[in-house]
């Protein structure tokens, strides 16, 4: 974040995270929602609350489903 947005919580891991790696983490600010992978925590995706809500709705609707990858 650029300092103009105060953070309302610390980084939180997805409840679907079953291991120490390959986890989605989210941090909610007053103006933005940040998301990152636990594999590359220095790379953050910054979305408005409206964009985040659309993304979450798409995930819940199965819009991003794909076969599991063996990495």
């Amino acid at each position: 974040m650029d300092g103009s947005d105060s953070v309302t919580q610390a980084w939180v891991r997805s409840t679907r995270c079953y291991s120490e790696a390959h986890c989605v983490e989210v941090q909610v600010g007053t103006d933005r929602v940040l998301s990152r992978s636990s594999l590359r925590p220095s790379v953050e995706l910054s979305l408005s609350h409206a964009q985040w809500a659309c993304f979450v709705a798409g995930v819940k609707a199965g819009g991003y489903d794909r076969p599991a990858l063996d990495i």
Side-chain angles (χ1 to χ4, degrees):
M1 283 189 254
D2 64 4
S4 64
D5 187 16
S6 61
V7 175
T8 58
Q9 67 183 32
W11 286 103
V12 177
R13 284 201 172 171
S14 167
T15 57
R16 302 272 182 165
C17 180
Y18 299 111
S19 67
E20 290 301 311
H22 307 289
C23 299
V24 173
E25 300 174 334
V26 175
Q27 187 179 65
V28 179
T30 54
D31 297 327
R32 309 294 292 172
V33 177
L34 299 179
S35 179
R36 67 183 185 184
S37 167
S38 61
L39 295 177
R40 295 185 66 197
S42 63
V43 178
E44 300 171 353
L45 175 63
S46 176
L47 301 170
S48 69
H49 287 274
Q51 291 169 320
W52 180 253
C54 286
F55 172 72
V56 170
V59 169
K60 288 180 178 181
Y64 301 102
D65 289 351
R66 63 183 175 128
L69 300 176
D70 291 324
I71 299 175

